[in-house]
Amino acid sequence: MPLEKSAGAFRTIGELSQEIGLPRHILRYWETRFTQLRPLQRAGKRRYYRPEDVALVRRINMLLNHEGYTIRGVQSLLAAEPVAGPDSGKASPALAGVRAVRALLADALAQDCR
């Protein structure tokens, strides 16, 4: 029985393939069709899927194999979504919480200095 990885751990293509129940060649093919799917590649072209890559693979699998979308349909759907990144203006909930705490600390410091 393989060891369970934490939710935040990187996965190899073999681990993801087994977890999702799809052959490795399908995952490699999806990398050519979906520009959003870009796992890290190390020496020897070994692929390591980050948690966000795993979530995207699960979503693509659901849309293609369970909801009946075509490759082109999923491409259009993913392309229409805003890209989440550092410059996208959409902060993660954790980042929003840190900013709120920082603002509270700045206010307390400003009142303390008066």
Side-chain angles (χ1 to χ4, degrees), residues 4 8-9 17 23-24 26-27 42 44 54 83 90 94 96 102-103 108-109:
E4 290 288 322
S17 170
R24 295 174 190 184
I26 297 293
L27 297 174
R42 300 289 178 177
V54 172
V83 177
K90 182 179 174 185
R102 186 175 64 187
L109 184 60

Side-chain angles (χ1 to χ4, degrees), residues 52-110:
E52 55 270 16
D53 296 322
V54 172
L56 181 58
V57 165
R58 288 181 186 283
R59 183 157 182 238
I60 292 170
N61 183 45
M62 182 62 70
L63 292 169
L64 287 174
N65 298 321
H66 301 283
E67 294 186 19
Y69 279 82
T70 62
I71 294 274
R72 194 168 278 174
V74 175
Q75 287 171 335
S76 298
L77 187 67
L78 294 176
E81 294 178 350
V83 177
D87 298 330
S88 67
K90 182 179 174 185
S92 70
L95 182 58
V98 168
R99 287 182 177 157
V101 169
R102 186 175 64 187
L104 288 172
L105 290 172
D107 288 342
L109 184 60

